[in-house]
Amino acid sequence: MVELTPQDMAAKLLTTGFERSSPSVTKLSDPIADTPMVVTLDQLRPYDHDPRVTRNPVYSEIKASIRERGLDAPPAITRRPGEAHYIIRNGGNTRLAILRELWRETKDERFFRISCLFRPWPARGEIVALTGHLAENELRGGLTFIERALGIEKAREFYEQESGQALSQSELARRLAADGYPVPQSHISRMNDAVRYLLPAIPALLYGGLGRHQVDRLAVLRKACERTWERRALGRIVAAEFATVFQDVLTQFDTQPDDFSLQRAQDELVGQMAELLDADYDTLALEINDSESRQRALVREPAAPTPPTAPVLPAPPLPPVSAPQPGPALSVWRDATKVAPPAPAGTPPAPLEVREDQHGQRDERLQGHIVTPAPTTERLQSIQRMVADQLGDKLPDFAVDALRAIPVQAGGLYPISDVWYIDPGLDVPDHLRVHIAQLAREIAGEAAVADDIEASDSGVGFVCVAPAVGQAKALTAFARAVLTLLHALSAAPAPADGLDHARLTDELAAVLLGHGGLPTRLSDAALVKLFRLLRLARRLLDLETGDPGHEF
């Protein structure tokens, strides 16, 4: 082996080392699991789609707590792929703003460097972050009505980007609930109206904290005035459109909530309408008030009705009545107005035995409205009343309303306590179709042909799978008549099978009344369900065609 000289060793030591052929890493990738880390205020940004845009009402209290105790609950953070800064993941923008304010005031390092939990950016990151901020803000001080409405509209935008199609209000409510932020569909409808019609005119009033009930009253007023305007402006040339008049009038009342007067706004709006429509102010106000009272029935308890001009008066309110028991199958068309008028003022009270007899008569009349009982419990009724109070909705009281109108009670998967009333939560096409299809199946079940009714996402909510000619001949005359009737109501084309629509004219009276050639007829319960099906189907078609004139 050749011995190296000092010169050779020096040359080898000065030789250039190995070079990397791959690029060097400029920064580390984010963790793939939840990881505690320390970040500075320079590295952290607020969530840019945070629904809260006004100052948190408990901002001062939170700031005082953080100043004295430090950050007891550091916010979770995350980072969008490719971005340099971290963001607040689900609630914490207020705390971040307070930390920045305290850092500027004190230069205390504990407000500049904070320990956080990093959570990786999920696949549905924008939706998860937004719903998380909505839920967190509800728990930590609440949002104004308009902030919540705008947050839900932003969530709709993210959901539609995710699915690639427009969403109905019921589908939006379903997706929000699945992501941990449940909102009733009726609330979404009111929020949409507030964003669309009220926010452009009264932003300061809404951001100032105008509550849901006042927003509902404004929405009801707008709809009532719009209906009256369209009816009176039909076939005439008017100098302005209603939308412009409404916006111009409402803009004058864009003040603080404490100074807002709905009555003044209504008076100004009616006055402007009367001038433009060349109408009498008092007459126009009466029309609007009448339309408004009917619309308000969807969102709150209506005012007590005025006594009718006839010499009969509505019955006094009944005492609490327990869940009704099955009564005889009496005719549903009882005269609900033949009630003894109240005694004149100053008349001594009736003897106890007379009053007991009157209560007994009312109980008997109440039983006469029950075709089949709708099972319920006191706890279920209590929950329903609590939910209705929170939503501002009217909850029908069968025992009280039975002697004032003609409600009929019938059991089933969706029990009926009033043929005509439609709950606001039901008043959307998807929900109406579900109820209509179930009612059709229950009616068909009386003729043992329920399997021939299938739910549908279009039309009135159901279709009849009409049997073939041979199978139709094997059906009883009653079953064939019921199936033909339901097929006709489904608005489907006449089938090329054993269902003869021409015979329905001859069989209809027998199916409904019981006389004629058929050996049986629809029961009273099925008849009530048929009335309810027709009511819901008519409302569904009105909603589908955009006709608001038959809501009540």
Side-chain angles (χ1 to χ4, degrees):
M1 180 176 180
V2 179
E3 184 175 355
L4 295 177
T5 64
Q7 292 77 9
D8 294 334
M9 294 178 63
K12 288 184 177 293
L13 290 173
L14 295 175
T15 302
T16 304
F18 293 103
E19 295 183 356
R20 298 176 58 91
S21 59
S22 60
S24 59
V25 177
T26 57
K27 66 176 182 178
L28 296 177
S29 61
D30 290 332
I32 61 174
D34 292 0
T35 304
M37 63 171 55
V38 176
V39 296
T40 65
L41 295 181
D42 292 339
Q43 298 174 288
L44 191 55
R45 295 288 185 273
Y47 177 59
D48 44 353
H49 299 304
D50 184 21
R52 184 187 297 282
V53 295
T54 58
R55 185 184 179 92
N56 192 316
V58 292
Y59 185 95
S60 299
E61 291 84 346
I62 297 175
K63 180 177 179 180
S65 175
I66 294 177
R67 182 192 297 272
E68 297 299 327
R69 301 169 48 86
L71 200 60
D72 289 336
I77 63 173
T78 187
R79 180 157 57 184
R80 293 186 179 98
E83 290 195 354
H85 297 94
Y86 299 100
I87 60 172
I88 301 294
R89 186 179 188 272
N90 55 347
N93 279 4
T94 296
R95 283 168 283 170
L96 178 58
I98 290 172
L99 287 171
R100 293 187 185 281
E101 193 172 301
L102 289 172
W103 165 247
R104 289 194 300 268
E105 294 173 359
T106 66
K107 298 301 180 181
D108 191 331
E109 192 72 12
R110 65 192 177 109
F111 300 133
F112 183 72
R113 298 182 183 275
I114 55 176
S115 298
C116 298
L117 177 65
F118 175 86
R119 306 191 68 178
W121 184 258
R124 303 173 66 241
E126 296 295 354
I127 293 174
V128 171
L130 179 56
T131 53
H133 277 269
L134 283 167
E136 185 73 11
N137 276 299
E138 291 289 350
L139 295 174
R140 296 180 178 272
L143 298 168
T144 64
F145 181 87
I146 195 62
E147 286 174 333
R148 191 181 300 109
L150 290 171
I152 289 176
E153 284 300 307
K154 192 64 179 181
R156 179 201 295 272
E157 178 183 328
F158 287 150
Y159 283 125
E160 291 180 348
Q161 290 175 358
E162 180 183 52
S163 63
Q165 60 183 8
L167 297 183
S168 65
Q169 291 178 354
S170 57
E171 177 62 16
L172 176 59
R174 187 192 68 78
R175 296 198 181 201
L176 286 169
D179 286 324
Y181 187 67
V183 181
Q185 184 273 330
S186 58
H187 280 201
I188 294 178
S189 176
R190 296 166 194 170
M191 290 174 178
N192 182 265
D193 284 349
V195 172
R196 182 177 179 183
Y197 300 111
L198 303 183
L199 184 59
I202 49 172
L205 184 59
L206 289 171
Y207 283 121
L210 192 69
R212 180 175 68 85
H213 292 293
Q214 290 176 294
V215 172
D216 288 347
R217 292 179 63 191
L218 273 174
V220 169
L221 173 64
R222 187 195 65 81
K223 290 181 180 179
C225 290
E226 186 176 34
R227 289 196 187 99
T228 302
W229 177 283
E230 290 175 350
R231 184 168 57 251
R232 285 183 166 265
L234 187 63
R236 300 177 53 184
I237 298 177
V238 185
E241 295 183 354
F242 173 77
T244 303
V245 175
F246 180 78
Q247 294 285 323
D248 290 345
V249 169
L250 206 58
T251 300
Q252 303 174 34
F253 299 90
D254 190 22
T255 179
Q256 293 302 310
D258 293 341
D259 300 327
F260 176 69
S261 170
L262 180 65
Q263 187 60 50
R264 289 177 54 204
Q266 179 172 341
D267 290 343
E268 180 65 24
L269 181 58
V270 174
Q272 293 284 349
M273 291 175 60
E275 181 178 347
L276 291 169
L277 295 173
D278 193 22
D280 178 70
Y281 176 93
D282 293 332
T283 303
L284 200 62
L286 286 174
E287 289 184 22
I288 292 172
N289 287 336
D290 178 63
S291 179
E292 185 179 0
S293 64
R294 288 182 292 159
Q295 173 67 18
R296 194 181 293 121
L298 292 175
V299 295
R300 75 171 193 176
E301 186 76 19
T306 57
T309 55
V312 294
L313 296 175
L318 290 176
V321 179
S322 58
Q325 300 299 318
L330 301 178
S331 169
V332 299
W333 299 118
R334 291 206 170 213
D335 186 354
T337 61
K338 294 181 180 178
V339 183
T347 303
L352 178 61
E353 60 271 14
V354 175
R355 282 180 282 163
E356 288 178 346
D357 182 62
Q358 291 175 346
H359 286 305
Q361 291 176 359
R362 288 200 296 269
D363 290 343
E364 181 181 354
R365 290 171 58 79
L366 180 63
Q367 292 294 327
H369 288 287
I370 300 174
V371 179
T372 60
T376 186
T377 63
E378 182 61 33
R379 175 173 175 78
L380 176 60
Q381 292 174 341
S382 175
I383 294 173
Q384 290 173 336
R385 285 193 295 268
M386 180 180 66
V387 172
D389 290 342
Q390 289 294 324
L391 301 183
D393 295 332
K394 177 184 181 296
L395 186 65
D397 189 332
F398 177 79
V400 174
D401 294 342
L403 301 181
R404 297 182 179 177
I406 314 180
V408 181
Q409 189 174 95
L413 180 60
Y414 301 116
I416 301 169
S417 61
D418 191 315
V419 172
W420 193 254
Y421 176 77
I422 298 177
D423 187 89
L426 172 61
D427 198 25
V428 291
D430 292 345
H431 293 177
L432 289 171
R433 287 191 175 94
V434 172
H435 280 243
I436 291 170
Q438 179 60 30
L439 291 171
R441 279 192 291 266
E442 292 179 6
I443 295 170
E446 292 219 342
V449 289
D451 292 340
D452 292 322
I453 305 297
E454 292 186 356
S456 172
D457 294 333
S458 59
V460 297
F462 73 93
V463 294
C464 294
V465 183
V469 176
Q471 295 174 331
K473 291 181 178 179
L475 296 175
T476 64
F478 175 62
R480 187 168 55 250
V482 170
L483 200 57
T484 305
L485 172 61
L486 291 174
H487 190 281
L489 292 177
S490 70
D497 52 30
L499 297 183
D500 187 358
H501 282 195
R503 293 186 57 185
L504 183 59
T505 304
D506 301 328
E507 297 172 341
L508 187 60
V511 169
L512 300 180
L513 302 179
H515 63 77
L518 292 184
T520 186
R521 67 177 182 179
L522 289 177
S523 68
D524 289 345
L527 187 62
V528 171
K529 292 171 184 176
L530 180 61
F531 294 150
R532 183 62 171 170
L533 184 152
L534 293 173
R535 164 61 173 153
L536 298 183
R538 287 159 60 95
R539 177 58 180 156
L540 170 64
L541 294 177
D542 288 344
L543 291 175
E544 292 285 313
T545 58
D547 179 10
H550 301 83
E551 293 185 3
F552 304 98

